[in-house]
Amino acid sequence: MKQILIRSGKSPFHVATPEQVIHQDLIGTNSGNLLFSDAAHKLLLTKNTEVSSNGIRTNSSAARAAEINEQYDVFVIPLANAFRPSFRDALDRLTKLIEQLTIPVVVLGVGAQAGTDFDTEAISSLRPSVKRFARAVLDRSPSIGVRGEMTAEYLRDLGFRDVDVIGCPSMFLYGDTFPALDTRKKLTTDSRLAINISRGANRVGEIAAIARNAYRRYPNITYYAQNLVDAELLFWGDTSAAAGLRKVMPTAVSHELLRDGRTRVPMDSAPWLAELRDHEFSFGTRIHGNIAALLAGTPSVVLCHDSRTLELCRYFEIPYQMLAELPPDVDPAELYEKADFSGLAAGHQERFERLVTFLDKHGLENTFTHGDQGAEFDARVAALKYPEPLQLWDGSDDGSLGYRISWLREQARRGQQGVERELETASKSISALQTRNDELEMLSTALLRRAASAEKRLDALERRDRPVRKTALRTASAVRGRLRRVVGRGR
């Protein structure tokens, strides 16, 4: 049986509590990672394979590399927008691990991040890291799978030709079929809508105002936040309301989408899709937030604000609008009515066949061509019991008070230990400075002694040389006298 190791925050069959997800960061800082890692897990699970999660954090030690080489046959790496400055250190650690591996390494959909103009000059500083990563992968793989043409062109400009555009595994959760989207309904003020918002998108367009106005039009809207910091905010709460703090983005409890209980943070992909099936429309700046809706059979429109969203929308023909061009009072119904899903549906099978060709090239079976169409995977997921969706904590006993108290105690202990370490370090520094000061004082004393000794020797030399100078002066005076007398007789 082929042993496949996959880079993912957790196995799709592992149900974690919200505390565990937050504490261990099992979503890799973003719930969207669950979608493509779970889809990759399902895709690669056949009767001839066993798929294991490596975790999202990279242990690049020689011991871990040796363990992987011994226990696994291939290392599969589904990635998102990994070619970005904030991911540089993680990319370098991943590269260091890959360089020590002797088994095949398969990159399943990596992307570069730039603006909507696809100008990669802004990430030019990443070129050394990206080159090293690509070389390491291609030494162990016939090609690199990328999310779209921009990333493919970026790697070609760096000198790499073995690049295959395959999109993102999340779109192939159901293989060569895609859920039917019912677009016949008309949105009303009672319609259930889903919105997703990227924290940095407000720098590009009016997403904060769009969300605010949409909530006023459609009170049954649900905000699906995806970041780990959003989960922490719901779990812990904050003092923004008491402080009178108001944020235009939903990043504080005082924001209406959180205050009114309209916010969720997905902890698993299956219940996320189940919730979205009850919505009539989804929109926003999160590519995987909208892909989740599409996989649930809910029409969605992406509001593109960077290359990572635009690149995937173009490849999969997902309906999108440019965020920068939208007015703050745009009606979601207008986005819904303008959306054309025909290309998404018509081109899906061809895109899936392209992915299968890529997997075949890398010696990987897939459940839809070589297996049970994902039936075992779906059955195991259906049998799981998931915790209730994470919602805003109201301060009451929700069963997690013990964890919160323990966490605070551990943080206080870590803080105290940190202070003690800093004091110990400072004490050592002071001791080292005192020792150095003593050494300098000893050196100064020695130099002063040497200077005094030198002065004494100079004085002795001067006393010894004084008679010699007097004799020389007398001799010179006598010589001058004789010369004058000689000169006088000559005249």
Side-chain angles (χ1 to χ4, degrees):
M1 180 165 296
K2 178 174 282 191
Q3 298 293 327
I4 299 176
L5 182 65
I6 188 170
R7 181 185 182 271
S8 63
K10 69 181 186 69
S11 164
F13 308 129
H14 171 52
V15 177
T17 64
E19 296 95 319
Q20 291 170 329
V21 171
I22 293 171
H23 200 96
Q24 301 174 41
D25 186 16
L26 297 180
I27 61 174
T29 75
N30 189 328
S31 301
N33 294 325
L34 296 172
L35 282 183
F36 62 76
S37 63
D38 286 2
H41 197 118
K42 178 180 179 179
L43 193 69
L44 299 173
L45 186 62
T46 71
K47 64 180 181 180
N48 300 317
T49 62
E50 185 172 333
V51 184
S52 304
S53 174
N54 183 58
I56 208 72
R57 291 188 178 88
T58 302
N59 178 353
S60 58
S61 67
R64 178 54 179 161
E67 193 174 62
I68 293 173
N69 286 327
E70 181 181 351
Q71 297 180 9
Y72 299 96
D73 299 301
V74 59
F75 185 27
V76 176
I77 309 174
L79 288 170
N81 52 323
F83 300 157
R84 68 182 193 274
S86 61
F87 197 73
R88 184 202 305 266
D89 291 343
L91 185 66
D92 288 343
R93 286 193 297 272
L94 188 56
T95 301
K96 183 179 177 182
L97 173 63
I98 293 170
E99 289 171 340
Q100 300 174 78
L101 298 182
T102 56
I103 61 174
V105 174
V106 182
V107 172
L108 205 57
V110 66
Q113 182 168 328
T116 53
D117 58 0
F118 286 6
D119 184 1
T120 58
E121 186 59 33
I123 56 173
S124 58
S125 62
L126 288 177
R127 288 171 185 167
S129 291
V130 174
K131 282 184 175 180
R132 182 184 167 197
F133 171 78
R135 287 194 198 101
V137 171
L138 290 173
D139 283 345
R140 295 157 181 83
S141 175
S143 66
I144 294 178
V146 299
R147 297 173 88 179
E149 282 298 336
M150 188 207 79
T151 303
E153 188 61 30
Y154 174 67
L155 286 175
R156 292 184 191 114
D157 287 345
L158 295 180
F160 302 100
R161 293 291 176 268
D162 297 318
V163 180
D164 293 317
V165 178
I166 59 172
C168 177
S170 59
M171 289 290 286
F172 303 109
L173 184 64
Y174 306 115
D176 63 350
T177 62
F178 202 82
L181 304 172
D182 185 1
T183 58
R184 295 171 299 176
K185 297 178 181 177
K186 295 290 185 181
L187 298 186
T188 69
T189 55
D190 294 327
S191 295
R192 295 194 66 190
L193 271 60
I195 186 171
N196 46 81
I197 304 168
S198 308
R199 286 188 165 227
N202 213 44
R203 294 192 294 267
V204 177
E206 299 283 353
I207 187 60
I210 290 171
R212 183 174 60 251
N213 291 324
Y215 182 31
R216 290 170 182 170
R217 282 191 179 105
Y218 303 92
N220 289 326
I221 201 167
T222 304
Y223 167 44
Y224 283 93
Q226 294 179 206
N227 283 2
L228 182 66
V229 291
D230 298 313
E232 291 172 335
L233 180 60
L234 289 180
F235 186 81
W236 287 98
D238 65 20
T239 60
S240 60
L245 181 66
R246 296 290 180 267
K247 296 277 191 178
V248 296
M249 293 283 280
T251 56
V253 170
S254 57
H255 191 280
E256 54 194 343
L257 288 173
L258 284 91
R259 180 197 65 206
D260 298 346
R262 308 306 307 178
T263 302
R264 303 283 187 276
V265 176
M267 298 292 185
D268 291 278
S269 57
W272 187 5
L273 269 58
E275 284 192 38
L276 285 168
R277 289 189 185 102
D278 293 332
H279 291 71
E280 294 169 51
F281 180 56
S282 171
F283 69 104
T285 58
R286 293 280 191 183
I287 184 64
H288 283 106
N290 291 295
I291 287 177
L294 293 171
L295 292 171
T298 300
S300 70
V301 171
V302 181
L303 309 185
C304 291
H305 68 291
D306 60 9
S307 66
R308 58 180 167 170
T309 51
L310 185 57
E311 183 175 43
L312 280 177
C313 285
R314 287 182 175 176
Y315 180 71
F316 286 108
E317 298 183 76
I318 298 171
Y320 68 89
Q321 297 281 341
M322 302 306 294
L323 177 63
E325 299 172 2
L326 292 176
D329 61 347
V330 63
D331 189 337
E334 180 183 342
L335 302 175
Y336 174 77
E337 291 164 4
K338 287 183 178 180
D340 180 3
F341 298 93
S342 59
L344 169 64
H348 185 75
Q349 184 165 355
E350 180 184 346
R351 287 185 283 264
F352 177 71
E353 290 171 357
R354 196 174 301 148
L355 174 67
V356 170
T357 299
F358 174 84
L359 295 175
D360 289 345
K361 183 195 298 187
H362 290 78
L364 291 173
E365 293 184 346
N366 76 86
T367 186
F368 300 102
T369 306
H370 311 95
D372 62 1
Q373 306 293 304
E376 179 189 348
F377 179 95
D378 292 340
R380 290 178 64 180
V381 168
L384 299 173
K385 183 174 176 56
Y386 295 99
E388 290 297 315
L390 181 61
Q391 300 183 44
L392 180 63
W393 182 43
D394 62 2
S396 63
D397 186 0
D398 59 353
S400 298
L401 285 179
Y403 166 76
R404 289 185 179 92
I405 292 171
S406 298
W407 186 90
L408 289 169
R409 180 173 178 270
E410 289 176 2
Q411 288 297 107
R413 181 182 295 173
R414 289 192 192 99
Q416 181 179 356
Q417 290 173 343
V419 170
E420 289 173 354
R421 284 194 297 269
E422 288 179 6
L423 287 174
E424 183 180 355
T425 302
S427 177
K428 289 179 180 178
S429 298
I430 291 171
S431 178
L433 288 172
Q434 185 62 53
T435 300
R436 182 59 177 159
N437 185 60
D438 292 343
E439 292 173 350
L440 289 173
E441 285 187 0
M442 292 174 62
L443 179 60
S444 177
T445 300
L447 289 172
L448 289 172
R449 288 174 181 163
R450 290 174 63 183
S453 176
E455 287 182 2
K456 289 180 180 178
R457 287 198 296 272
L458 285 172
D459 288 343
L461 287 172
E462 286 182 0
R463 286 195 297 272
R464 190 176 61 194
D465 292 345
R466 198 171 294 135
V468 176
R469 287 199 298 272
K470 288 181 179 179
T471 301
L473 289 172
R474 285 197 297 269
T475 301
S477 179
V479 169
R480 283 195 296 272
R482 288 174 184 170
L483 286 172
R484 281 197 292 271
R485 287 195 294 273
V486 170
V487 172
R489 284 199 292 271
R491 289 176 180 171

